[in-house]
Amino acid sequence: MRWLLATGLILPGLVLLTLAASSSQLEDRTPASGISFVLHNSATPEKHQIETMVGGVAILDYDNDGYPDIFFTNGARQPSLEKARPGDCNRLYRNRGDWTFEDVTEKAGVCGEGFSIGVAAGDFDNDGYTDIYVAGVNRNILYRNRGDGTFEDVTAKAGVGNRGRWAVAAGWFDYDNDGRLDLFVVNYVKWDPAKEPFCGDPRGAYRTYCHPRFYEGLPNILYRNNGDGTFTDVSVSSGIARHAGKGMGLAFGDYDGDGRIDVFVANDTVPDFLFHSNGDGTFRETAFPAGVAMNDDGHALSSMGVDLRDIDNDGRPDLFITALANETFPYYRNLGKGLFTDVTYQSRVGSATLALSGWGAGIFDFDNDGRKDLFAACGDVQDNTELFSSRKSRQPNLLLLNRGDGTFAPDAIGPPATHRGAAFADFDRDGRVDVVITRIGDRPLLLRNTMGSGRHWIGLKLEGVRSNHDAIGARVHIVTASGEQWNHVTTSVGYASSSQREVHFGLGKDDYVKLIEILWPSGALQRIENSAADRYLTVKERE
């Protein structure tokens, strides 16, 4: 985060787009949802750095009833504080299927302890039930889903505790294609509450959260799944540990089309990482030659959240990253052959985002017109921005609708708040992508999508056999009368969050799909012809 370097007035000479009024087609369903969770950050007068980084959220169907459930992380207790307040822990809510949710935290056994930030959902043991990995300060937690509505803390047995480090995010992917999900942990900086520097007004009128330059960065961690409930730290042998950053966001995808899953890590005020898979268990960091380490102005941005998907329907996954005010939210278009180009301003994403600070991010087709749109959860880093700036700490979220000509139309979403994590799923199974967003000091914002009335869609739930059960890493190509689209299976989306793994396609006026091609992580190619639209299709990998 660029922090105080980005807390002044908006830079002169730049034209900003005026955001449209908040969309009435994204309905706030929070009040009657039954979700009483409030995101706490255990704020202190000392402005501890971890306080501003909370808010990861995961969407998963933990009980396999067909309806996506929600897991919230919470900054319940700082290492410098003796105990958390009653009820201040992570919370799991079961989706009843009618836009109401039941708190099942205690019954499920996932309250946790300490200061949690990020979360990753995935079936690491291939038993058909989604497990939960929680990232936080000085300790991470792996919860194994027993399949009976309860979870078991298997952190110690699995060897994935990440003790003594500050992790912001994590994600599941099968980096060695052995059919088992491996775990990538994104670490931020070295932090000691007893050595928190003073930042803010030199006269002591106010204090702020400090710029990341006051903290030493950390390398990320790659854990290889051994297939027996344990993991091996392969960070050194894989090449991941050679690169220390200040990581926040995480995305997976095959950016160069070589059939191997690569890793993008969004770093805070230092160059971003793009780890290219060499196919032999090692990675090469390629962000600079690919053109995504810094923006076209040569600046390392305060990169927060990220999503990696094909935005322009050319078969190549593109990058959308959130950052701080005065930096814009970069949009890198994939040119092929391992190269990207910065199209942030020509796409009008730059002018729409210059005044905002973004965290959660997502690339989804919200209006089902066959073109993927962009979403950003927004809120300033500081909680007292008004004391030294013309901006506000509390900001609306941003939806950027894809016009289909390479540009986007901005729309302000929801009342201003200090938003953080965002996760995406179809909560009511009506074929439209809904959103849940966390807010510091408040209940989450639960948004029902009613856009794209009359337009068609299809959703794919893939189940691996030779591949990992969740089919994470599978690439999907569809052909309709209107053209072609591409997507892939992932749960790692945005900032410290995890979204539903089903693959969604908006189809516009097309009421059927001519061809579905699935390239499984195992390398198998599966084809399905003439599929009816407006339904969820479960596809099992052929043995």
Side-chain angles (χ1 to χ4, degrees), residues 144-168:
R144 179 183 174 272
N145 190 334
R146 294 189 178 104
D148 60 359
T150 68
F151 291 78
E152 175 189 6
D153 183 343
V154 296
T155 312
K157 175 188 175 183
V160 292
N162 202 37
R163 283 282 184 180
R165 301 183 186 97
W166 173 4
V168 169

Side-chain angles (χ1 to χ4, degrees), residues 30-87:
T30 308
S33 68
I35 298 176
S36 58
F37 166 79
V38 173
L39 174 61
H40 294 297
N41 62 349
S42 300
T44 64
E46 293 78 22
K47 297 284 184 184
H48 288 162
Q49 192 77 346
I50 62 174
E51 296 168 12
T52 193
M53 310 281 274
V54 294
V57 54
I59 298 175
L60 68 155
D61 184 4
Y62 84 96
D63 55 357
N64 286 350
D65 68 351
Y67 287 95
D69 311 301
I70 310 176
F71 180 90
F72 296 99
T73 65
N74 207 1
R77 179 176 62 83
Q78 291 203 29
S80 59
L81 302 179
E82 290 186 2
K83 60 177 65 176
R85 290 170 292 185

Side-chain angles (χ1 to χ4, degrees), residues 445-522:
L445 183 62
L446 180 64
L447 297 176
R448 177 176 181 249
N449 184 358
T450 62
M451 303 177 71
S453 178
R455 292 174 178 164
H456 300 287
W457 57 276
I458 193 167
L460 300 173
K461 182 179 180 181
L462 307 186
E463 293 183 3
V465 177
R466 286 186 290 164
S467 305
N468 66 86
H469 180 270
D470 282 354
I472 287 176
R475 280 157 285 170
V476 183
H477 169 220
I478 70 168
V479 180
T480 68
S482 299
E484 301 176 84
Q485 293 186 55
W486 288 261
N487 210 331
H488 62 272
V489 180
T490 184
T491 61
S492 297
V493 180
Y495 171 74
S497 297
S498 187
S499 290
Q500 193 174 12
R501 65 183 176 89
E502 290 172 341
V503 179
H504 170 268
F505 291 98
L507 303 178
K509 64 182 180 181
D510 298 326
D511 59 2
Y512 80 101
V513 180
K514 293 181 178 180
L515 175 65
I516 300 172
E517 287 186 328
I518 303 166
L519 182 60
W520 297 88
S522 66

